[in-house]
Amino acid sequence: MWPDIIQKAKNGGLDVIQTYVFWDGHEPSPGNYNFEGRFDIVKFIKLVQQAGLYVNLRIGPYACAEWNFGGFPVWLKYVPGIEFRTDNQPFKAAMQGFVEKIVSMMKSENLFEPQGGPIIMSQIENEYGPIEWEIGAPGKAYSAWAAKMAVGLDIGVPWIMCKQETAPDPMIDTCNGFYCEGFTPNKSYKPKMWTEVWSGWYTQFGGAIPYRPAEDLAFSVARFVQNNGSFFNYYMYHGGTNFGRTSGRFIATSYDFDAPLDEYGLPNEPKWSHLTNLHKAIKQCEPALVSSYPIVTWPGNNQEVHVFKSQSGACAAFLSNYDPTFAAKLTFQNMEYDLPPWSISILPDCKTEVYNTAKISFKGSKAKMTTVSSGFSWQSYTENTPSADDKDALAMQNLWEQVNVTRDSSDYLWYLTQVDIASDEGFLKSGEWPLLTVMSAGHVLHVFINGRLSGTVYGSLDNPKLTYNGKVNLRAGINKISLLSVAAGLPNVGLHYETWNAGVLGPVTLSGLNEGTADLTKQTWTYKVGTKGESLKLDSIAGSSSVQWVEGSLLAKKTPLTWYKTRFDAPTGNDPLGIDMLGMTKGEIWINGESIGRHWPGYTVKGKCNDDCNYAGTFTETKCLTGCGQPSQRWYHVPRSWLKESGNMLVVFEEWGGDPTGISLVKRNSIT
């Protein structure tokens, strides 16, 4: 998809492509590097150069990006004595090693601008200002060290630090946000740059889908430019997909972000066209914009005029109406201009209005999902629930934090124990089952009693912790309690988030017994990392032949811990493709062994939505929401490059029970 996306960005009027460098993707284990496939950053940068565009390389290496662990590899958490993003020697040594690795690669490929390459800027750290403010002196020492380390690498282009008011010279501090017209760099001789123009917002599982009206996004950019803004970058211009297990905690697999180019690489209309026209208008003003600071006047209430003039006679004007409710008739140079509410008109010659941020000329329709094929011939394989006496399980006293056991090799960790119920227990006669209470740091918990699913609970991005309270059907003798704890991604932002917990940490209690309440927390627990299907690699062609699959009338439906597989031929044409997962609940999807990502259509959106949101007035991530009553994500992107002409293998793991017969292959059409 890269060449197509890059060309569409250029067609949309962009000059620069900005990209992160994800440490966890490039160094999955210490000293073992990966620059292949989706992580071939050199290839990506060279494609940008071939398209005639520049690059801002955000090395970080902290990314945030709603990406798993903020882009840090999980092994970093287990370096002795480490603390992330502070004046900590183990962290600084690891960070410097990675940054030097990336810079060395770029230099060896002649990719920095003084070498004839496209990289005109690079970024160290990311949005560190709020963390520095919170931790004080160690934060100041760390950011000063990071700046000095970066400058010492002598890359020949400027370094930036975003949201970092204390960025020391020669670092340039930049702005991120929905609006940045009021931002000023920490030194007057530094350019005013906006590294993240938030084009929308991310989707979280269980959350509504945010969108930002094109009129307001254009308004924010025009307002920034008229206030001496020199560089602006959309976050995101194309957001794409969190393939595999790369999304952060409770972040959806889709990272569409309501960007001008949607998740599938198609123009998100009318936003793409409206911004393309904005960029054309701004470039028409360029001779005047780069030659002077504006003369600002205020002709009326909530009205503002910015005029740029060059010595050679170029003139450009920006006419603003900041009123969110009422339109305005603004008189400028003896001419009258009609300005809708919350809008800016651009006059590249100080006479002719070529663009207004609230006047959308695009008349087409948004892209749609259309079913291509359905009614697949499915096969299923259902795992047995593990128990504490399994030979390959690891027995330990007490409850252990999940990531400390899994090292994020899987979303899944089994907590296994057993209880011996005496034959004289009162509930065996009364039928009043005992109450099992399990407290977990998150994020999802499936409770199995004697191999049967007893209940499921899950948290959310705002409240990842959870408690299971359920009556459980126990019998006289040994009863097996199997708790499947599921991590829905790792945290990506927050002070020392590397210390945050996941999994069952207790207490775990059983009440309603003759003795009252039994505390199971400190008894022996046995652990199993991952599912059986993962260990057998059922997502692969070779691994899928290692078990006995069933089909037809024997096909499992609404059954937990079930794997499904089918085969399909690639549809003809070039339309982007997706999988419609309606009817399934939660798990993961693979195509030909490549992970599409986590699916969770069972998590539906609650709350209030407003599908027809007024563009005027200050935007926030909760202002414009859609999708209430629907799954946070129903469709999952399938790259055509992952498909063969025929015989493509689709594998789905289902945690708590779905019906695969509702799954269909869809294409995304951009109809104008």
Side-chain angles (χ1 to χ4, degrees):
M1 291 177 66
W2 287 348
D4 179 62
I5 296 291
I6 292 166
Q7 187 60 48
K8 285 175 179 172
K10 184 177 182 178
N11 295 345
L14 269 60
D15 306 302
V16 182
I17 300 295
Q18 186 166 279
T19 184
Y20 284 123
V21 182
F22 291 109
W23 190 355
D24 64 331
H26 293 303
E27 194 179 4
S29 60
N32 295 311
Y33 295 100
N34 173 27
F35 295 100
E36 305 295 325
R38 299 202 308 276
F39 292 101
D40 190 344
I41 191 168
V42 168
K43 179 181 179 180
F44 177 77
I45 293 172
K46 287 183 176 180
L47 287 170
V48 174
Q49 183 178 28
Q50 289 168 17
L53 301 177
Y54 297 107
V55 172
N56 176 19
L57 188 65
R58 305 179 77 182
I59 299 176
Y62 171 67
C64 184
E66 291 69 59
W67 187 274
N68 195 59
F69 223 40
F72 287 146
V74 173
W75 59 258
L76 192 67
K77 171 184 169 83
Y78 299 100
V79 172
I82 203 164
E83 288 183 74
F84 286 8
R85 306 178 74 203
T86 188
D87 191 20
N88 172 267
Q89 191 55 40
F91 178 77
K92 291 191 295 184
M95 173 178 164
Q96 182 169 349
F98 180 72
V99 172
E100 288 177 345
K101 173 73 175 179
I102 298 301
V103 167
S104 176
M105 286 184 65
M106 299 301 109
K107 285 183 176 180
S108 68
E109 297 287 341
N110 297 315
L111 293 176
F112 289 109
E113 194 277 337
Q115 301 174 293
I119 302 174
I120 59 170
M121 276 191 297
S122 195
Q123 179 179 304
I124 197 72
E125 250 296 337
N126 186 47
E127 299 187 330
Y128 189 68
I131 299 293
E132 179 183 303
W133 181 86
E134 194 166 352
I135 66 177
K140 288 184 172 63
Y142 164 69
S143 61
W145 167 84
K148 184 178 180 180
M149 181 268 290
V151 171
L153 297 175
D154 191 26
I155 62 176
V157 301
W159 283 96
I160 62 172
M161 298 179 97
C162 65
K163 293 181 73 171
Q164 183 70 43
E165 294 178 3
T166 62
D169 284 359
M171 288 284 163
I172 302 170
D173 59 313
T174 67
C175 186
N176 293 354
F178 291 117
Y179 306 95
C180 281
E181 70 278 354
F183 166 77
T184 54
N186 61 17
K187 296 290 175 57
S188 60
Y189 48 78
K190 295 180 181 180
K192 178 174 178 174
M193 299 199 293
W194 192 358
T195 36
E196 291 188 13
V197 182
W198 295 340
S199 58
W201 202 243
Y202 58 83
T203 299
Q204 56 181 282
F205 282 123
I209 300 172
Y211 64 97
R212 186 178 187 184
E215 300 95 326
D216 179 68
L217 180 55
F219 173 81
S220 70
V221 171
R223 196 170 183 181
F224 176 75
V225 171
Q226 75 177 8
N227 282 281
N228 303 314
S230 63
F231 171 91
F232 58 90
N233 173 86
Y234 295 99
Y235 188 98
M236 305 295 293
Y237 195 78
H238 168 66
T241 306
N242 292 315
F243 294 117
R245 298 168 49 247
T246 58
S247 59
R249 186 174 64 174
F250 284 100
I251 301 300
T253 298
S254 169
Y255 202 65
D256 182 86
F257 220 86
D258 194 30
L261 292 176
D262 70 15
E263 178 185 2
Y264 295 79
L266 297 177
N268 174 16
E269 298 292 11
K271 185 172 284 186
W272 187 83
S273 292
H274 194 48
L275 293 179
T276 299
N277 292 333
L278 169 64
H279 303 152
K280 290 177 182 176
I282 291 172
K283 287 180 179 180
Q284 287 180 259
C285 300
E286 188 174 303
L289 289 175
V290 300
S291 301
S292 69
Y293 290 109
I295 298 170
V296 185
T297 57
W298 297 268
N301 189 34
N302 288 320
Q303 297 176 17
E304 195 169 77
V305 174
H306 292 243
V307 178
F308 297 81
K309 290 183 177 180
S310 72
Q311 291 183 348
S312 62
C315 183
F318 290 69
L319 315 182
S320 304
N321 175 20
Y322 298 144
D323 194 305
T325 305
F326 299 105
K329 288 187 179 296
L330 192 153
T331 300
F332 172 67
Q333 296 190 161
N334 299 318
M335 295 182 66
E336 192 172 79
Y337 298 87
D338 293 318
L339 272 65
W342 200 254
S343 76
I344 297 174
S345 287
I346 300 177
L347 289 59
D349 60 357
C350 285
K351 295 178 183 178
T352 309
E353 178 193 288
V354 300
Y355 185 86
N356 178 275
T357 59
K359 299 175 183 178
I360 293 179
S361 59
F362 179 81
K363 302 301 181 184
S365 58
K366 296 179 75 71
K368 305 288 186 182
M369 291 297 195
T370 306
T371 300
V372 175
S373 56
S374 58
F376 297 121
S377 178
W378 288 99
Q379 296 177 303
S380 66
Y381 166 76
T382 301
E383 297 187 9
N384 292 322
T385 308
S387 59
D389 53 5
D390 287 357
K391 293 180 180 179
D392 58 348
L394 175 65
M396 294 183 286
Q397 288 298 122
N398 303 329
L399 294 165
W400 284 61
E401 195 277 336
Q402 181 163 338
V403 181
N404 282 341
V405 180
T406 66
R407 301 297 170 104
D408 199 38
S409 62
S410 170
D411 282 355
Y412 304 102
L413 179 64
W414 286 99
Y415 291 77
L416 310 166
T417 194
Q418 54 191 34
V419 292
D420 190 357
I421 297 298
S423 59
D424 61 351
E425 281 287 350
F427 75 83
L428 294 172
K429 294 181 179 179
S430 69
E432 186 65 29
W433 295 346
L435 177 70
L436 178 67
T437 300
V438 182
M439 298 188 70
S440 169
H443 309 133
V444 180
L445 184 67
H446 306 293
V447 177
F448 293 83
I449 303 296
N450 295 322
R452 288 182 169 272
L453 181 63
S454 183
T456 293
V457 287
Y458 44 91
S460 65
L461 179 59
D462 294 332
N463 296 291
K465 296 181 180 180
L466 52 91
T467 300
Y468 173 83
N469 280 301
K471 296 293 185 72
V472 289
N473 183 5
L474 302 181
R475 61 199 177 207
I478 299 296
N479 290 262
K480 298 177 179 180
I481 298 177
S482 305
L483 309 178
L484 180 58
S485 180
V486 189
L490 300 185
N492 56 272
V493 66
L495 181 62
H496 290 307
Y497 64 77
E498 75 273 15
T499 64
W500 298 359
N501 294 325
V504 179
L505 299 179
V508 178
T509 60
L510 191 63
S511 60
L513 305 176
N514 290 350
E515 64 178 277
T517 299
D519 187 353
L520 310 182
T521 307
K522 294 184 179 180
Q523 69 181 51
T524 299
W525 288 84
T526 303
Y527 298 85
K528 266 192 172 182
V529 175
T531 65
K532 182 177 181 181
E534 285 179 312
S535 66
L536 295 173
K537 301 187 184 303
L538 294 187
D539 58 285
S540 68
I541 294 174
S544 69
S545 62
S546 64
V547 299
Q548 186 68 43
W549 299 79
V550 298
E551 55 190 323
S553 62
L554 298 178
L555 184 75
K557 296 180 182 178
K558 305 291 185 182
T559 305
L561 306 180
T562 298
W563 294 76
Y564 298 98
K565 74 171 181 177
T566 190
R567 291 188 180 272
F568 67 94
D569 296 338
T572 57
N574 296 313
D575 291 322
L577 301 174
I579 298 287
D580 185 346
M581 294 297 290
L582 206 61
M584 305 303 280
T585 56
K586 186 181 183 303
E588 194 170 346
I589 312 166
W590 295 264
I591 297 280
N592 295 329
E594 295 281 356
S595 176
I596 296 297
R598 301 180 180 99
H599 73 86
W600 202 347
Y603 207 154
T604 54
V605 177
K606 298 179 175 62
K608 294 182 178 180
C609 290
N610 44 354
D611 293 337
D612 188 21
C613 180
N614 185 2
Y615 77 88
T618 302
F619 180 82
T620 68
E621 66 270 23
T622 59
K623 180 181 178 182
C624 303
L625 302 171
T626 188
C628 285
Q630 302 296 319
S632 295
Q633 184 173 353
R634 171 179 171 179
W635 296 284
Y636 295 80
H637 180 208
V638 177
R640 276 193 176 266
S641 60
W642 291 6
L643 298 182
K644 305 175 292 185
E645 284 190 16
S646 61
N648 296 285
M649 187 171 75
L650 168 61
V651 174
V652 177
F653 175 59
E654 179 60 45
E655 291 175 23
W656 77 68
D659 183 352
T661 60
I663 294 175
S664 61
L665 185 67
V666 296
K667 65 179 180 180
R668 190 160 177 83
N669 296 96
S670 185
I671 304 172
T672 57

